[in-house]
Amino acid sequence: MLQTPDKNGVVRFDNYEMHLTTQELFKRGLRIKLAPQAFRVLQVLAESSGQLVTREELQRTLWPDETFVDFDHGLNNAIKKIRDALCDSADAPRYIETLPRLGYRFIGQVNSMPDADADAAAADTVFSGNGRNEVLPQAAQIPEVRRFAFGNYRMAFLLLVVCAACAWYFTMHRLSSKLPLEFVPLTSLPGDERAPTFSPDGEQIAFDYENESGWDIFTKRLDGETIQRLTDPPGVSSCPSWSPDGKYIAYLRGYEESALRVRSGIYLMNPLGGAKRSLLSVENVSCRVSWSPDSKTLVYGPAWSENEPAGLFLVDIDNPVPRRLLSSPPHTLDDGPAFSRDGKRIAFARNTSLGTKDLYVVSVSGGEAQRLTFLNANLGGPVWTTDDKNIIFWGSTGGSGWNLDLYSVPATGGTPERLPFAAHNESSPTISQDGSKLAYVQSQFDPNIWRVSLSAQGGAPKQFIASTWFENEPDFSPDGTRISFLSERDGSLAIWICNADGSNPVRLMGPDGPNIPRWSPSGDRIAFDSRSAGRHQIYVVDARGGKPQQLTFGDFNSQTPSWSADGKWVYFGSDRSGGFEIWKTSLDSKQTVQVTKQGGFYAQESPDGRFVFYNKPQDKMANWTYVKPGVYKIPTDGGEENLVVPEATWLWRVGKEGIYYTSDGSIPHPSLKIYRFSTGKIETLADLNKQAWGGPGGIAISPDGKTFLYAQVDTEGKDLMLVKNGSW
């Protein structure tokens, strides 16, 4: 039966609303994360409710014949995203039914007009705390059975019979709540509110926030709007943690300009305000300290430094010295620790490779840590459920490391499952002591690609390649007719290619977390790196699509590729020698040669093939976010290195005329500059609206030198969200 939207362009089914104009999906008024391509598939299916929609029809409608995208993967990925968003199952579908070898059919009840009883008639979905959904059986929706949920005990036996008969509806061992989850915005201040922590009674929340005087700690009652500042400048006060007995808030305080990682120590304060007590001076503390259930001990994990072990430490608040080292990771970091509710174990995140982590658990008495996950992703912030059976954490499995979701994993290990929350970019979960409330950070993060004309007439930057999702890493093909870039517009990080004017974007490959795509000089291949196998490795793929060829191997990282001028070698940064250096591999012989000896992370060869230009990491553990300022060069056949552009960071490209780079320190705006080979001088070419953002070499110059592409973060901010009526 063909369905049409109402006059406002809204299609409704059960508790869901599809807003066709804005391509947004809502459940009970809360926006659900769904990529644009997946939304369009759902729209086609819902508008043909009850009818078979063949794969061929979907291809003709949504994947035009002239594209070389992997249609099968694209459609399968879209269906998976839809089922995740609707908490649906392929084995027991409520909305999307698969007809093998034919296509799909929408089997939900579509209502084109609002139905006042829709919420009451729909099946309630509740979440118990281990990442899975529980769906109230259809029989429980009839009035007689619904009344049982509000006290009609005569229906108890009937409900139990129905539950037994419909056991396949239940994917969890218990029904945690008779009330649906309620989502409540806690804060909506301009800027970033982070690191929430509940008071013991669950009626207040403490968090850090950057105000006009810097980063400070604030508290807010859940039933009010007034926030109270507990700390004062100078310095950075951040990452609060409320003690279970309610006497203290532990927090980090330092005197760095950044509140991300570097601190000078751990402090305690009374939640009502007053004097602050310096507990321990530590060089680098990651943003998480956790209390033992008896409020006598803290655990923390320092960031890596030359002077500090990289493990976890236990501190007695009445006798903080000496500390006790709890874990000793091999050549990596442990951070984000969290005490279990019984105080016997500590969950934490351990770096498994450069830029990737997994969850571990260690006994408070010490011993070998148990690995819980094998995601090799950007993750952290573990918190225990009240029964100590599950651990909730944030993680990014899409490849970019920036778009985050909340997950749950059994405390004994297993497959993590995404919490079915409707929002996008969730992190920093915290759970009240009674387990009925969960708070988290809701982030907005939307980088897009902008364009600047470098012709004589010039012009202001203009948004060029954009969506409501991640867009980054532009690169011109050698003939200037095409542009490759990274995008998450279909729900997973992938390489896309479009025309030089931005038209006809098509998906080349994914979703295995490709990064830093770079065209070969011949324009027929693209090199990129991916950590899909756990370690970053270099791959090469045909620019028309197909299966990538893996170029590097081994139990170490190889990343940030670029091509030699003749197209015979691929340069990359690798830690195979213990620290990051520049290496190159021949595409023909597969011979691998070390290029630098004094550190190197990202390299580009000069167009004439005479020199290699490169960045250096700050230290052997650093990734590209900790690159030393400065671009260096050495002859391609070896020789002495020289510093060429002292102020350049990692956003730079080598062109025929010189080295193009972005300068964030320019006044009054960030700018694009060039170091000209012909004169050895630096010139400003254009002013930018905002600071450029991206990975190594993440800017692009057209072959004719007339167009500059870069990414900037157009929308950014963090707010706190509260989820009530749970049982975590």
Side-chain angles (χ1 to χ4, degrees), residues 83-124:
R83 284 177 171 147
D84 287 345
L86 301 180
C87 303
D88 202 8
S89 167
D91 297 327
R94 291 187 297 145
Y95 300 110
I96 308 297
E97 180 184 25
T98 300
L99 301 178
R101 296 182 298 277
L102 295 176
Y104 302 93
R105 179 165 54 202
F106 188 88
I107 59 175
Q109 180 62 46
V110 176
N111 304 305
S112 60
M113 295 300 291
D115 184 352
D117 295 326
D119 285 348
D124 285 329

Side-chain angles (χ1 to χ4, degrees), residues 571-652:
Y571 289 89
F572 55 91
S574 180
D575 59 357
R576 62 187 63 200
S577 61
F580 268 91
E581 300 285 354
I582 302 300
W583 297 70
K584 65 179 181 179
T585 292
S586 167
L587 270 73
D588 296 328
S589 68
K590 303 301 185 289
Q591 177 189 9
T592 299
V593 178
Q594 185 172 349
V595 178
T596 63
K597 304 292 184 181
Q598 301 178 55
F601 191 78
Y602 176 62
Q604 296 176 44
E605 193 174 279
S606 59
D608 59 12
R610 296 175 55 203
F611 296 99
V612 178
F613 298 88
Y614 57 96
N615 283 117
K616 292 185 176 186
Q618 288 183 354
D619 53 60
K620 65 180 181 181
M621 292 292 295
N623 61 16
W624 59 265
T625 57
Y626 298 97
V627 167
K628 283 182 179 180
V631 175
Y632 296 77
K633 77 171 183 178
I634 57 172
T636 52
D637 56 359
E640 183 179 352
E641 74 172 18
N642 291 286
L643 178 62
V644 181
V645 189
E647 71 168 327
T649 55
W650 59 81
L651 291 173
W652 56 276

Side-chain angles (χ1 to χ4, degrees), residues 113-264:
M113 295 300 291
D115 184 352
D117 295 326
D119 285 348
D124 285 329
T125 300
V126 291
F127 179 74
S128 294
N130 70 348
R132 302 183 180 180
N133 301 309
E134 294 179 343
V135 182
L136 203 60
Q138 294 294 324
Q141 298 176 33
I142 62 176
E144 290 80 6
V145 179
R146 281 207 312 270
R147 283 202 297 271
F148 165 70
F150 298 94
N152 190 344
Y153 294 98
R154 289 189 305 158
M155 300 305 299
F157 179 75
L158 175 59
L159 182 57
L160 291 175
V161 172
V162 171
C163 289
C166 302
W168 57 273
Y169 271 107
F170 292 88
T171 58
M172 298 179 58
H173 65 282
R174 60 191 174 97
L175 181 60
S176 63
S177 174
K178 299 299 187 296
L179 296 174
L181 296 181
E182 181 181 352
F183 294 78
V184 180
L186 273 178
T187 63
S188 57
L189 301 169
D192 293 350
E193 302 97 77
R194 315 173 314 164
T197 178
F198 280 106
S199 60
D201 62 7
E203 299 302 320
Q204 297 184 73
I205 199 136
F207 58 95
D208 62 34
Y209 172 60
E210 186 177 22
N211 57 92
E212 67 281 355
S213 58
W215 286 94
D216 282 303
I217 308 296
F218 292 79
T219 59
K220 179 183 184 294
R221 290 195 59 84
L222 304 189
D223 58 0
E225 294 300 322
T226 302
I227 66 172
Q228 178 183 0
R229 186 166 68 183
L230 299 185
T231 60
D232 297 298
V236 171
S237 297
S238 58
C239 307
S241 180
W242 217 310
S243 65
D245 62 9
K247 292 182 180 180
Y248 298 105
I249 292 178
Y251 67 103
L252 306 179
R253 186 172 181 84
Y255 293 91
E256 302 290 335
E257 293 183 359
S258 169
L260 293 177
R261 292 189 69 86
V262 179
R263 325 287 174 187
S264 66

